[in-house]
Amino acid sequence: MPERTKVALVGIGKIAVDQHVPAIANSPDWELAATVSRHGSVPGVPAFTDFAAFLAERSDVPVVSLALPPVPRFAYAEAALRAGRHVMLEKPPGATLAEVHELHALAKANGLTLYTTWHSRMAHAVAPARAWLADKAIRRAHITWREDVRKWHPGQDWVFEPGGMGVFDPGINALSILTHILPAPVHLTAATLTFPENRQTPIAAALTFSGNVTADFDWRQTGPQTWDITVETDAGHLALRMGGNVLEIDGQATAGENTIMGEYPALYARMAELVATGQSEVDLAPMTHVADALTLGRRDVTEAFHF
Amino acid sequence: MPERTKVALVGIGKIAVDQHVPAIANSPDWELAATVSRHGSVPGVPAFTDFAAFLAERSDVPVVSLALPPVPRFAYAEAALRAGRHVMLEKPPGATLAEVHELHALAKANGLTLYTTWHSRMAHAVAPARAWLADKAIRRAHITWREDVRKWHPGQDWVFEPGGMGVFDPGINALSILTHILPAPVHLTAATLTFPENRQTPIAAALTFSGNVTADFDWRQTGPQTWDITVETDAGHLALRMGGNVLEIDGQATAGENTIMGEYPALYARMAELVATGQSEVDLAPMTHVADALTLGRRDVTEAFHF
C-alpha cells in the first residue's frame, strides 16, 4: 500500500466529527495530520487554533479540507492556496459565486487542486440513477425536499441570517443531485420564496425550471421527512428517495441503502484521485440555481419562526 | 468597403429606437434587415411580429440582436442559436445565470458567436481608466450610483417585479464598469438591500466587496443624478464620472464627453469583430455580483413606493 497523504481538517464541528473524521480514518489514501479549530480537536491529532500558524509550521501537509461554514471559508481557502496547498471545500463552496471563481482562478494559476464537494451526489443510488437517465428523454421531474429545521438545526439562528441560505441549505443537496442526474441542464424560470416575518432567509421555496422540472422545499415538516426526486421519462418512471439512497424504477426498488455513511468516504476518494492526477473539480451549478432563485423569486412573508 | 452584414433587431422599444437603430444605421458593418416586435417597427425595414416566422423566412440574416427585457429573452436567444444565428444580448444577458450558461454552451456546440453586451463598458472614459489602473495597486474604490427611478422608468412597475432587478437595473451598469477597470477580481462580502414594503425588488443597496471596494446604489435621488466611481491607488486617485464618460486623475479632467451616444456603435463594432473571428464574449461578472448580493444581502424594509 502506498504511503497515505497528509490532510488537515479545518473546522471541527458536527459535520467534521460525524463525517469527515471517520471518512479520513478509514481511508487508504489519507492521514489526518492536523486539525485547525477554535474549540474542537480530534484525539491523537495535532491541534491548531490558528490557521496561519498551521500553514507556517506544517509545510509537510499538502492538502487542506475546509469544513467551516461558508461565510468565513473564503479567507481560509485563499490562504491555503497561496501557501501551495490543495483545497477541498464542504458544500456550498462559498458564500458567493464570485469568491469561488476567484479560488478556481487561484488554484489554476498555482497548479493546485480545488474540489467543490457535493456530498449528496455520492449517495448510494445517485450514480445508478444518472446512468439510467443518460439515454432517456425527460418529460418532467419533481423534487420534494421537506424536513424539520428544528430537528436538523436546533437553535441554530445563523441558518436564518444573511448567508445562512435558509431552506436552501438542505435544498442545495437536492439541486446537487438533480444537476448531476439530468442528461441536460435546466434553468430557473420562476420561484416563490417564503420568508418568516422575523427572518432573513426563506423557510420554504417553490421553484419552476425549464423542461417541466419543479421543486418544493420546506423546512416546516414535522413527522416523517421527505427527500425525494421523481423523474418521468419516455421509457418509464424513476424515483430517487431518502436523499439519493434508494432508487425505484417504475415503482420497483433496484438499489437501496438508507445511510449517508458512504458519501464522505467517496468524496475523499475523489479528492485523492484529483490530487494524484493534477485536476480540479469546480461545479457551481447547484449554487447558481440558488442564486438565481434568490434573484428571480417572488417573496412572500409568513408568520414569525422561533426555535 | 465590404458588404455589410445583415442583422435583425428584436424588441423595438425605447432602447432599440434610441440606441440600437441609430448605431446600426451609422455602422459600416451592419445592415438592419428586419425587425421583430409585437408593436414596434422601423420605417423602411421589413417588420415581423412572430420570431419563428422571421427565422423561417429570413435565412439570409445571420445575426440577431435581442433588445427585449431579460425575462422573455432566453426563448428568443435559444431559438436563434438553434436556427444557426449569431446572437447579441442587451444587458443584463438573462433573467438567470443558468440560462446564459446554457446559451453559451449552445453557441459553442454550434460554432456560433454569443455576445453578452455591457454598454456602459463602452463609455468614452472607461478604456483610459482601465489602462491607467492596470499597473496600480488598488487601496480602495467606491461606487456612487444614485438616480431617480421616476425619471428613468416612469410608471414602469415591472422594474419592481421579480426579475425586474430594482436598483440593480442601473447598478449593474456600474458593476460592469468596475469589473472591467479593476486589475483583479473582487467578491461581495456583505450587502444591505432596502425593499419598499409594497415591492419585490430593492430600491437601494449598499454593497461591500473584498479589497475595500464599496457601492452605494439608490433609486430615490431627485435633483442632480450621480454615476461616479472613485479609486484610490498607490499612485494617485482616479474618478470616473457621468457613467464612465468623464475621467479625472488626481482631480484633473483628462478625458470627457458627456454622452452615451458612442456606446452602442462600439458594441456593434465589437459584435462585427466577434462574428468575423468566430469568437464569443460571455462575461457574467456583473450579473454574478448582483446574484451574490441578493443571496447574501440583509433585507431592510422601507416605506411603500408609488410612481
Side-chain angles (χ1 to χ4, degrees), chain A residues 29 47 263:
Chain A
D29 301 309
E263 296 178 13

Side-chain angles (χ1 to χ4, degrees), chain A residues 218-239:
Chain A
D218 204 312
W219 237 356
R220 298 168 297 189
Q221 176 155 316
T222 55
Q225 310 283 285
T226 307
W227 301 285
D228 286 355
I229 300 176
T230 55
V231 186
E232 284 180 41
T233 77
D234 60 334
H237 181 273
L238 174 148

Side-chain angles (χ1 to χ4, degrees), chain A residues 75 165 290:
Chain A
M165 299 190 68
V290 173

Side-chain angles (χ1 to χ4, degrees), chain A residues 224-304:
Chain A
Q225 310 283 285
T226 307
W227 301 285
D228 286 355
I229 300 176
T230 55
V231 186
E232 284 180 41
T233 77
D234 60 334
H237 181 273
L238 174 148
L240 199 48
R241 304 195 189 282
M242 299 307 299
N245 281 290
V246 172
L247 177 62
E248 296 170 7
I249 303 294
D250 295 327
Q252 300 297 311
T254 66
E257 188 180 334
N258 183 8
T259 166
I260 73 161
M261 289 309 292
E263 296 178 13
Y264 283 79
L267 296 180
Y268 278 93
R270 176 66 178 147
M271 182 65 179
E273 185 177 61
L274 291 171
V275 171
T277 55
Q279 300 176 81
S280 283
E281 183 175 310
V282 177
D283 182 354
L284 294 179
M287 202 172 158
T288 300
H289 289 315
V290 173
D292 284 343
L294 289 162
T295 301
L296 190 59
R298 178 172 295 278
R299 293 155 203 288
D300 282 347
V301 175
T302 190
E303 61 184 338

Side-chain angles (χ1 to χ4, degrees), chain B residues 20-206:
Chain B
H20 290 260
V21 171
I24 294 167
N26 294 313
S27 167
D29 301 311
W30 299 104
E31 172 195 341
L32 184 57
T35 61
V36 184
S37 180
R38 273 178 303 177
H39 305 297
S41 64
V42 173
V45 177
F48 291 79
T49 54
D50 181 67
F51 192 55
F54 159 76
L55 290 172
E57 293 174 29
R58 295 299 301 271
S59 58
D60 62 310
V61 182
V63 178
V64 171
S65 177
L66 299 181
L68 300 156
V71 170
R73 202 183 298 142
F74 174 82
Y76 288 80
E78 185 189 32
L81 291 168
R82 289 198 188 282
R85 316 303 164 95
H86 306 288
V87 172
M88 179 169 169
L89 299 170
E90 247 298 349
K91 71 93 194 176
T96 63
L97 292 162
E99 72 188 54
V100 188
H101 290 307
E102 279 184 49
L103 294 177
H104 195 189
L106 191 57
K108 276 185 189 164
N110 291 284
L112 295 165
T113 291
L114 181 69
Y115 179 22
T116 61
T117 69
W118 298 104
H119 66 80
S120 292
R121 286 186 177 172
M122 298 302 193
H124 187 69
V126 171
R130 176 182 161 99
W132 190 83
L133 288 170
D135 61 353
K136 307 291 188 297
I138 309 302
R139 290 188 176 150
R140 60 183 51 78
H142 184 67
I143 298 171
T144 307
W145 222 255
R146 291 174 159 260
E147 59 176 55
D148 184 353
V149 65
R150 290 188 176 90
K151 175 172 178 178
W152 301 100
H153 295 276
Q156 292 178 22
D157 284 310
W158 68 266
V159 299
F160 288 115
E161 283 297 293
M165 298 190 70
V167 75
F168 291 110
D169 176 82
I172 205 168
N173 294 334
L175 295 172
S176 76
I177 296 174
L178 182 84
T179 51
H180 191 61
I181 65 174
L182 289 185
V186 295
H187 60 270
L188 192 94
T189 57
T192 300
L193 312 173
T194 303
F195 288 75
E197 63 181 18
N198 62 334
R199 300 291 185 172
Q200 287 283 334
T201 60
I203 197 164

